[in-house]
Amino acid sequence: MNSLQNDLKFGSGFPALFYKELLRFYRVAFQTIAAPVITSALYLLVFAHVLESRVQVYGQISYISFLIPGLMLMSMMQNSFANSSSSLMQSRLTGNLIFILLPPLSPYEIFAAFVGASIVRGVAVGLALWLISLFFTVAIPLHPLWVIAFAVMSCAVMSCLGLVASLWSEKYDQLASFQNFIIMPMTFLSGVFYSIHSLPTFWQKVSFFNPVFYMIDGFRYGFFGISDVSPWTSFFVVFLTFIIVTLIALRILASGYKLRT
């Protein structure tokens, strides 16, 4: 613990790398923040027009209200993954990763800088999408602490996976495969657009093995106080997932796997 505190103390290389990662997506905010918000808003517009009067979820909650938290967290997670994975992948392929490896930066500092910046980008996208959603309906969180907890942990999990994916991949095609065949299916089959109680029994049971389901369900509980499973169960699963992917990412960074070659 003392080693970790020393690695992340102010005056180390962490603030500079963190600031650099923030500037990286801020300077192209139209692409990194505005574009995903517009895409999610189009989802909201289409589903609000087509399904609002045809689908009822949790009885008293309208479908458009039900959809807003799911779209918010889905966009937050996708952009957190994209931020860390694209940044590290670009550094590897262009050769400027050497400027991160040459200074005395510990694996903890590199990890915290990439993950922290990805969380900031994810939360920024989520807040912007929530503000736009107010034009459709007002969805005020009943339990804001649950909303914050699941938002931060979910973005952290995806940013860790982004680091792992970018270190595993040799080129952008492999990174895209990781996102298209692992991240996207887990996200779309997590209950973003539906409640799992509307599924057949078999697929309900399958959903319980998807950690993203617990992220979406816990985040939605923060808005409505209603969920498919207990928020404490969701919190435990998401926190455990975060610990696992954090240990994997730190182990890879500490080993220098594909970083020094």
Side-chain angles (χ1 to χ4, degrees):
M1 180 62 70
N2 290 333
S3 175
L4 178 58
Q5 291 174 347
N6 291 333
D7 285 335
L8 299 181
K9 67 182 179 180
F10 186 80
S12 68
F14 163 72
L17 182 57
F18 177 64
Y19 181 63
K20 172 257 183 187
E21 287 299 311
L22 290 179
L23 285 180
R24 178 183 171 274
F25 75 81
Y26 175 75
R27 288 179 175 174
V28 287
F30 188 81
Q31 176 185 346
T32 57
I33 297 178
V37 169
I38 292 172
T39 300
S40 297
L42 290 175
Y43 273 116
L44 200 58
L45 181 64
V46 170
F47 280 97
H49 177 71
V50 175
L51 297 177
E52 171 66 10
S53 60
R54 303 182 183 183
V55 179
Q56 286 292 324
V57 186
Y58 297 147
Q60 70 274 29
I61 298 176
S62 66
Y63 181 69
I64 190 66
S65 297
F66 171 86
L67 188 60
I68 288 171
L71 281 176
M72 283 177 59
L73 193 60
M74 182 182 74
S75 298
M76 292 164 70
M77 291 188 297
Q78 289 178 347
N79 282 275
S80 296
F81 176 88
N83 195 74
S84 60
S85 61
S86 62
S87 179
L88 188 55
M89 191 70 181
Q90 186 180 42
S91 295
R92 286 181 56 208
L93 295 182
T94 58
N96 62 29
L97 186 63
I98 189 66
F99 298 111
I100 297 177
L101 299 178
L102 280 178
L105 289 167
S106 71
Y108 297 109
E109 290 175 303
I110 297 174
F111 172 84
F114 278 95
V115 172
S118 298
I119 293 174
V120 172
R121 175 179 167 181
V123 171
V125 170
L127 284 174
L129 182 56
W130 179 74
L131 291 175
I132 289 179
S133 73
L134 296 178
F135 290 98
F136 296 87
T137 186
V138 178
I140 305 297
L142 293 178
H143 306 288
L145 292 181
W146 279 118
V147 171
I148 294 172
F150 280 103
V152 173
M153 284 199 303
S154 300
C155 290
V157 168
M158 287 298 168
S159 60
C160 290
L161 287 176
L163 290 178
V164 173
S166 61
L167 291 171
W168 167 78
S169 303
E170 296 288 347
K171 50 187 178 180
Y172 279 111
D173 289 346
Q174 293 177 333
L175 183 60
S177 297
F178 192 98
Q179 184 169 12
N180 292 333
F181 294 105
I182 297 179
I183 302 299
M184 290 292 286
M186 289 175 63
T187 303
F188 276 88
L189 299 177
S190 63
V192 172
F193 302 100
Y194 57 86
S195 169
I196 64 165
H197 292 302
S198 63
L199 299 176
T201 303
F202 172 78
W203 292 109
Q204 289 186 35
K205 294 179 179 179
V206 170
S207 298
F208 291 135
F209 292 95
N210 182 3
V212 181
F213 158 73
Y214 297 94
M215 300 176 191
I216 297 291
D217 199 57
F219 188 74
R220 189 172 277 135
Y221 175 86
F223 274 83
F224 308 121
I226 303 173
S227 57
D228 291 318
V229 299
S230 166
W232 288 105
T233 300
S234 296
F235 181 83
F236 173 78
V237 173
V238 177
F239 184 73
L240 180 62
T241 304
F242 170 68
I243 295 297
I244 293 172
V245 295
T246 295
L247 292 175
I248 293 173
L250 284 173
R251 180 70 183 88
I252 295 176
L253 287 172
S255 69
Y257 178 71
K258 291 188 179 180
L259 290 176
R260 308 183 188 280
T261 57

